Amino acid sequence: MAGCLIETGDEGVTLSGGAVKRLLEKGDGDAALLYLALLRRRGAVAPRSLAGELRWDRERIEGAEAALRQLGLVAAAEPPPEPAEEKPDYQRADVAERLERSAEFRALTDQVERKLGKRLTTPDVAVLLGLTDYLGLPADVVYLLVCHCVERVRRRSGEGRRPGMKQIEKEGYAWARLGIDTQAAAAEYLRKYAQRQDLLPRYMRALGLGDRFPSPSEEKYLLAWQEMGFPPETVAIACDKTILKCHELKWAYCNGILRRWHEAGLHTEAEIRAGDRPAARPGPAAAAADVQDVAWMKKYIDQRDKGV
């Protein structure tokens, strides 16, 4: 039978058998197209930067990217980048000129001052100018950005604490990278952010860490586990296995367990019980060891119930 593929003479891309199997089982055409586009670029670009090439809107490419992350075919999103070193160095005259010329920028400055509860310095206003002028974020989006940063610091550090302008600038670069440049996009991002944050206490309690707020490093792990699709109950199982092995909660070790389960497609308690059974130990010695383990556990439970 003659081949049905037409050779184009272009440089090809190579898919591994494992990747093909995962994509076929997922049955998500958008995920497959995005993966091919990424392979064509040798993985050197962020998935969302291909929205224009694929002629997709933000919602469609975000869905395809999430599917690829769930399949373990693309890495989790990188931390927000630091503000670019080459950004314009706005001077006092630049700030004064914009305040004089733009009523919208003056209004934004006044709103931010009220939100932060302080008078902005010239360097502070220069940060706002960079967000609106250099990054091209509309004034209403910048104000939502500032409100988001204020709320995030309040939740982490308590009432009365406020973010610095450098923190706001860094978050602004992250928003620009994500394409959050309209009120609707900002509202959708903040909605999803609030949902993820509301779940964090459940994960902390599942890990036996009480009601305290996670540190930034802990939060990265928890958000990654949420994104992989693990409920708090499954994280608790991984934590228990970690403590049994390491005698304490080691985040990296616990993450390794969850990543292994994720790659095997195991996410719920039922799936873990059914699919993560330890291999049987062959031979009479193993059987004897199992009997001893059962006897020891029975003795332990009896002593515990009797209060010994």
Side-chain angles (χ1 to χ4, degrees):
M1 178 177 174
C4 61
L5 294 178
I6 299 175
E7 297 293 339
T8 63
D10 297 333
E11 182 180 357
V13 296
T14 302
L15 282 78
S16 69
V20 171
K21 183 175 183 293
R22 294 184 200 180
L23 290 169
L24 290 175
E25 289 177 346
K26 181 70 173 176
D28 188 323
D30 282 353
L33 283 173
L34 179 56
Y35 190 63
L36 288 173
L38 287 167
L39 286 178
R40 182 170 173 266
R41 298 295 192 90
R42 302 183 183 278
V45 298
R48 296 183 193 186
S49 69
L50 297 172
E53 179 179 320
L54 293 167
R55 297 181 177 85
W56 290 352
D57 58 24
R58 181 182 295 112
E59 182 178 354
R60 186 174 179 183
I61 200 161
E62 284 179 352
E65 183 183 359
L68 290 179
R69 285 201 300 271
Q70 187 179 26
L71 291 171
L73 295 176
V74 297
E78 296 178 358
E82 295 291 338
E85 295 180 358
E86 68 274 13
K87 72 180 188 300
D89 183 18
Y90 295 105
Q91 302 298 316
R92 181 181 296 272
D94 301 313
V95 171
E97 188 273 337
R98 184 58 58 88
L99 287 170
E100 175 68 24
R101 180 167 58 86
S102 174
E104 183 181 53
F105 189 73
R106 288 197 304 274
L108 172 64
T109 303
D110 291 342
Q111 289 174 324
V112 172
E113 285 185 336
R114 287 195 293 271
K115 193 65 181 177
L116 296 181
K118 70 171 187 176
R119 184 78 173 176
L120 296 182
T121 65
T122 298
D124 292 338
V125 180
V127 169
L128 295 180
L129 184 55
L131 295 175
T132 57
D133 186 62
Y134 180 62
L135 292 183
L137 298 179
D140 55 356
V141 172
V142 172
Y143 183 66
L144 290 175
L145 166 74
V146 172
C147 293
H148 167 61
C149 292
V150 169
E151 176 61 18
R152 186 172 62 183
V153 169
R154 184 196 67 78
R155 289 186 64 174
R156 289 178 175 175
S157 305
E159 296 290 345
R161 301 297 295 271
R162 294 290 186 270
M165 291 304 295
K166 288 298 182 183
Q167 290 175 271
I168 293 171
E169 182 182 44
K170 182 176 180 178
E171 186 69 10
Y173 272 77
W175 280 32
R177 183 181 180 186
L178 293 172
I180 303 173
D181 53 8
T182 66
Q183 275 198 350
E188 179 63 12
Y189 171 81
L190 294 174
R191 183 185 68 81
K192 292 180 178 178
Y193 178 86
Q195 288 178 341
R196 294 194 299 267
Q197 292 296 309
D198 288 344
L199 286 173
L200 291 182
R202 290 181 56 195
Y203 284 87
M204 292 294 283
R205 288 192 291 270
L207 292 168
L209 299 175
D211 294 324
R212 70 173 177 82
F213 201 84
S215 70
S217 296
E218 292 171 340
E219 185 176 344
K220 288 181 181 178
Y221 278 114
L222 298 180
L223 293 178
W225 297 341
Q226 280 189 43
E227 194 169 276
M228 283 190 278
F230 288 112
E233 296 76 18
T234 305
V235 171
I237 297 172
C239 174
D240 185 59
K241 288 180 174 290
T242 299
I243 293 174
L244 284 173
K245 178 69 176 180
C246 305
H247 309 295
E248 63 178 324
L249 172 57
K250 290 192 175 181
W251 289 83
Y253 190 91
C254 188
N255 186 59
I257 294 174
L258 290 166
R259 286 184 62 181
R260 176 168 59 82
W261 288 346
H262 178 61
E263 291 168 358
L266 309 175
H267 296 89
T268 67
E269 288 185 87
E271 290 170 344
I272 299 301
R273 293 193 193 99
D276 192 51
R277 299 183 186 278
R281 293 175 293 181
D290 288 341
V291 171
Q292 290 176 357
D293 288 343
V294 172
W296 181 89
M297 182 59 71
K298 186 177 184 302
K299 181 179 179 181
Y300 170 80
I301 292 172
D302 289 342
Q303 290 178 336
R304 183 198 62 188
D305 292 343
K306 294 176 182 178
V308 177

